């Protein structure tokens, strides 16, 4: 049991979050998870055109699940197939790292129709509001076969 003495403890809200604070929190959680034998292997895959970053995806594998973090494609290149290629590359890397399931989330204002076209199935939704309009956060999953 931990007792907190209010005169010696201070809670602080940080906005924006300094990168060193975000890193310290993430590192602290990673140390705890590793002690519980829950490793997180983070990676990124990028798409370059003429040497310039034109798209990319961040992801991680933890307890046999591929978690897609962020997928971005330069606006002028959207709908060109790069997003599909980045997702396929992330799934392949996930398989290589022993992932059997993939998960991703998106907003209803972003790409909710993209993931089902890649074989993802919705498994959760939370509704909210942004700028006075309804916005849903939607979670998708996909079982990864042994081979692409």
């Amino acid at each position: 049991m931990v007792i907190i003495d209010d005169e010696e403890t201070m809670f602080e809200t940080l906005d924006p979050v300094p990168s060193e604070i975000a890193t310290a929190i993430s590192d602290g959680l990673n140390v705890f998870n590793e002690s519980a034998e829950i490793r997180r292997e983070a990676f990124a895959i990028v798409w370059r055109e003429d040497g310039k970053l034109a798209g990319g995806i961040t992801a991680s594998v933890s307890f046999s699940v591929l978690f897609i973090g962020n997928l971005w494609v330069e606006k002028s290149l959207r709908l060109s197939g790069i997003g599909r290629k980045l997702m396929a590359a992330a799934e392949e890397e996930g398989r290589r790292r022993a992932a059997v399931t993939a998960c991703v989330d998106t907003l209803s204002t972003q790409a909710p129709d993209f993931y089902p076209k890649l074989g993802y199935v919705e498994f959760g939704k939370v509704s909210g509001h942004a700028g006075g309009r309804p916005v849903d956060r939607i979670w998708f999953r996909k079982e990864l076969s042994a081979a692409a």
Side-chain angles (χ1 to χ4, degrees), residues 133-145:
R133 63 184 175 156
V135 177
D136 297 328
R137 187 167 202 167
I138 309 163
W139 283 266
F140 294 94
R141 68 178 281 153
K142 178 181 180 178
E143 298 306 313
L144 299 177
S145 61

Side-chain angles (χ1 to χ4, degrees), residues 34-62:
E34 286 179 11
S35 71
E37 297 183 14
I38 301 173
R39 291 201 56 221
R40 179 179 173 268
E41 300 175 24
F43 63 92
I45 299 171
V46 298
W47 182 276
R48 295 183 192 276
E49 291 202 358
D50 299 322
K52 182 182 172 209
L53 184 64
I57 190 167
T58 60
S60 63
V61 173
S62 186

Side-chain angles (χ1 to χ4, degrees), residues 53-76:
L53 184 64
I57 190 167
T58 60
S60 63
V61 173
S62 186
F63 54 91
S64 301
V65 179
L66 169 65
F67 293 95
I68 302 296
N70 292 306
L71 170 62
W72 167 77
V73 176
E74 181 69 46
K75 188 175 182 176
S76 65

Side-chain angles (χ1 to χ4, degrees), residues 61-142:
V61 173
S62 186
F63 54 91
S64 301
V65 179
L66 169 65
F67 293 95
I68 302 296
N70 292 306
L71 170 62
W72 167 77
V73 176
E74 181 69 46
K75 188 175 182 176
S76 65
L77 297 172
R78 291 181 190 153
L79 301 175
S80 68
I82 295 171
R84 284 179 174 269
K85 290 176 183 177
L86 286 165
M87 285 293 293
E91 290 171 6
E92 185 56 35
E93 182 62 18
R95 284 185 199 90
R96 192 183 74 70
R97 295 172 186 245
V100 296
T101 303
C103 290
V104 64
D105 70 279
T106 191
L107 299 178
S108 57
T109 57
Q110 292 175 327
D113 298 329
F114 175 71
Y115 298 103
K117 291 176 185 174
L118 302 179
Y120 285 77
V121 177
E122 181 181 325
F123 73 90
K125 182 186 292 188
V126 175
S127 296
H129 289 84
R133 63 184 175 156
V135 177
D136 297 328
R137 187 167 202 167
I138 309 163
W139 283 266
F140 294 94
R141 68 178 281 153
K142 178 181 180 178

